[in-house]
Every structure is written in structure tokens, then in C-alpha cells.
Amino acid sequence: MSAELKTVPKAVAGPSSFLDDRVGAGNFIKRNMRKIFPDHWSFLLGEIALYSFVILLLTGTFLTFFFKPSMSHVIYDGVYAPLRGVGMSEAYASALEISFEVRGGLLIRQVHHWAALLFIAGMMIHALRVFFTGAYRKPRELNWIIGVLLLTVALFEGLTGYSLPDDLLSGAGMRVTEGAIISLPVIGTYLRFFLFGEEYPGDDVISRFYSIHILLLPGIILALVSAHMVLMWVQKHTQMPGKGRTNQNVVGAPFYPAFMLKAGSYFLFTFAVLAGLGTFAQINPIWLFGPYSPADISAGSQPDFYMAFLEGALRLMPAWEINLFGADHAGTLPLSVIIPALVPLGLIITGMMLYPFAERWITGDNREHHIVDRPRNNPHRTSIGMSVVVFYGVLWLLASNDEIASTFHISLNTTTYAGRVLVIVGPILAYIITYRICLGLQRSDAAVIGHGVASGVIKRLPDGRFIEVHAPPSEEAEAHLRGKEAVPTLSHDGAGIPPKGMRGPVGRLRARMSTTYGGEKVPLDEEQNGHAAIESGDDSPLKH
């Protein structure tokens, strides 16, 4: 469906006229209700995060009616017999009350927890889709940065919510958080005082985390989500290459009624999945962990997946430290905590924010892009992304090195040493393997353009040879493949002399990086006599 629609449905025209007569918004409503959205399954990945956030707001509002964010000491006298008579914080007691005495409380608690996991997972997958397809390029750099900030804030939102029940598991995670904060030079003690109020654990941390969790961070997330959606609406949506798709148009279905129906159905589907998980898949059974005590810890404790990279980095890091003033502890920098706390997340987040500008600097590409790339068509970018995924995945996996050692009956030290090797070697191997796979897929696309699609029909030639007959690809498939563009490189004059600004050391480095990163790796027309060979029945290189 084209972006230019000549008729306006009555369901849009009526309300538009009503609003136009009163507030002058008729043209705005008509224009935006008929806005075109492209139709591709990968564009719905971001919707998962958005709908999960809506469900988080709804379930979180319900939980605030019953949760008591206090560390006052009480003796539990609720319905859960194994803990009756045990001393605990009022926060933990109210979490038990929500789970066992509030009607629907346990269901809402579990739906809220599952929605938090899906919210962060949805943003991660959406960010990968945007990165691998190059949808962050001009004019969407600002929206990409907003998305990265959203993911970062969501991690801290999840951390504060995870800590609120004050059970043994969340308290252990809070202890790790406090240790990472206090290790930071200069600002660590101030941050600890701001969050905890006094020496750990103190009496204020739950109430402060509660305020941050339900007021500060949700407000920031809501503002960032609103800005993200407004920019996406104004800049129009990217679309996949295909027949009739250009950087000047949008091919798809209108916001009303097609996209509204699709989005509404997808929201209900997301809600149904979360409700099913909350009903049938137990998560965070705080009554089994017991109340938090600084003197206790349980074996096999694991954080939620989005914080597992920090746990894994802490477990892999050697016991390094720097003593600035001899044996005086005030001058000790515990690198074994500072590096895991700052470097992995800092590298990933900073790299994500800077990547659009670094790529533009390397390639010299200042054009607007509304057609996205297939990941295989920019092999270096895809390889970099997979390296980051493997780097994160190794840290995530090694957060369970004790469970791995216990389950597979191997030494805990072996898992730790193996993790230290994998966290460096793994991303390098991922880069090399992904790059070769991308080139192989490009060759496969070139073969389809040059020789067509295997039909499964075997033909015997007059000289006795057998070949498989190939048919030309469909128009839509061929347009999708031919939407490939060579990755831009810095231009030179006809004599190959670089511009004046490219003649220094930095310029020469930039030129070499551009030549390596950009250019056409596997041209689509490298196969000769493609369709002519198919139509004439001549033998082709793709014979069996």
C-alpha cells in the first residue's frame, strides 16, 4: 500500500471533523491516523518491550497498594507456617502477605517479575535488530542514543525492584551492589551514603530503593519512551529492501485500522504469555529463601539474567588491587571489583552510543537511510555485534560457574580459568566465524541472482550429464536481494590521491579502516550468464 491514500475512512473522518470544529486538530488526526507502517516481523520486536512496560506499570501499581517499604523489625504471624514467629523486616513480611493473603497477589507479583525480564530482554533484542540492520544511521542517531539510555536505566530499575522484597537472595544481590559501589574511588562512599544512608545494610535502603523504583526511574523511562516514540513517528519507520521500496517512500499498511488492530492483538498476546508464565512458571519464591541476614548466604544463588554479566565478571576477575599509599586501606583500589563493575557495561554502552558516529567517520557516509541493510550485507558490523553478544554471553554463563562445576563434576577453578580464556578468545572467534558466514550468505545470494532457485527437477542433457533445473526468483525475492548496497568508503580523486585532510597519520588510518570496513565484498553480478543460462537450459556451475 502506498504512502499516499486518497480516501479517509468514516471512522477517522468523523472524529477528525469533531475535533477540528473544536480544537482545530482535524488535519493532524487525519494525517497521522493514515500514517503508513511497513510490515515485517522484526519490527514488532520493539513492541514486546513497550507492551511489557505497560504491563509493568499496571501490575506495579497494584503491588504498591500492599507493599510496605520499611526495614522495621517485626515478628511474622501470617499464614505461611514455616516462617511463623521468625523475625524479619516489614518489607519482607508484606511481600509474604502479598504472596499468600492478598487475592491474586502472587499472580500479580509473578506477572510483574516476568514482565520485568521480558521488558529488558525485549529491549536487548530490539537493539540487536536495529544494530544489525543499520537502522541507527542518519537521521536516527539521536533515537538510537535514547534507546541505549533506556536500556541502561532499565537495568538499574530492575536492580532496585529485585532488591525490594528483602529476602535472602535479593539481600545478597544488594550486598554485591553495595560492594561494587563502595569500591569506586572518591565517589563510592558518597553514592553508598546516598543509597543506604549509613553502614550497610542500615535502616533506609528499602525505602530509598522503593522511591527510586516507583518514582524516579519509571519517570525517566516514561520520558525516554515518549521521546523515542515521537522521534520514530516524525522520522518515519525504516523498511526492508524490496519491490517498490525506496528511501523516499514507505510501503505498508496504515496506522488505522491495520496497525492498530495488529498492535492491539500483539499486546493481548504479550499479556497472555506473561499471564501464563505468572500462573504456571514459578519465579522468585521468596518464602523459600527466608528473610535477609548479613551473616547468611545460600549456595547456588543467581541474579536475574540482566545482572548476571556483573556476577560473571566478578567471578572471573583475578584478585588484583593497587595500594597507592602502602598498606593504608584508604589508598587501596580493588581492581577485582572496580573493573567488573565499570568495564564490561561501560564498554558495551559507550560503544553502542558512539558506533553510529564512528561508522559515519570511517565510511564518510552522510546520507539519510530509510532502507535498512540485511545483516549479511555489512559483514564487519554484524561480526562486531556478534562479538559483543558472545562477550556478554560468556560473562552471563560464568555467573553460574559454581552450578556448572557441581552439575558436570568439574573443578570450580577449571570453570574460572576457562572463562578467563573464553571472555577474550570467544569474541575473536565469533568475529571470524560470523564474517565468513556473512560472505558465504552473500555468495548464496549472488548464486540466486545469477542462476536462479533450485527447483528440485533433475534434467538429463544430450551428452548424458544430469543437472538440476533452476528457476528465476520471484520479482519480490529478486528485488529484496538487489536492495543490497555496497558499504560506502571514503572517496579519492581519479588518480587515487587522498584529500588533503587524509594525508596525516589519522587520515591514513581512517582510509585503511574505510577500505577494510566498506566496499563490496561479494558483488551480486559476479556470476555470469545467469538468467540466459536458465532460459536456454545450458549447464550452469550449480549442477549436480
Side-chain angles (χ1 to χ4, degrees), residues 490-499 503:
L490 296 171
S491 60
H492 298 72
D493 61 18
I497 301 174
R503 297 173 189 174

Side-chain angles (χ1 to χ4, degrees), residues 441-458:
L441 291 173
Q442 286 191 43
R443 293 189 182 97
S444 176
D445 292 342
V448 170
I449 294 296
H451 302 285
V453 181
S455 65
V457 177
I458 305 300

Side-chain angles (χ1 to χ4, degrees), residues 32-116:
N32 285 283
M33 291 296 283
R34 303 302 285 168
K35 182 179 177 66
I36 301 299
F37 281 81
D39 186 12
H40 192 272
W41 65 268
S42 66
F43 296 148
L44 295 175
L45 295 174
E47 309 284 331
I48 297 175
L50 177 62
Y51 302 148
S52 299
F53 179 62
V54 173
I55 295 169
L56 277 172
L57 293 178
L58 296 175
T59 54
T61 301
F62 176 89
L63 294 174
T64 58
F65 295 151
F66 305 99
F67 183 73
K68 299 179 178 63
S70 171
M71 296 189 73
S72 300
H73 190 267
V74 298
I75 302 299
Y76 181 70
D77 61 352
V79 299
Y80 186 64
L83 290 177
R84 196 172 295 153
V86 175
M88 59 185 64
S89 68
E90 195 171 8
Y92 183 60
S94 67
L96 291 175
E97 181 184 359
I98 291 172
S99 301
F100 294 118
E101 300 179 54
V102 175
R103 180 167 297 183
L106 180 59
L107 174 63
I108 298 300
R109 242 199 76 227
Q110 298 206 141
V111 169
H112 187 75
H113 201 133
W114 279 115

Side-chain angles (χ1 to χ4, degrees), residues 29 93 229 299 308 323 390 395 518:
I29 297 296
M229 298 299 293
N323 294 307
V390 171
L395 295 180

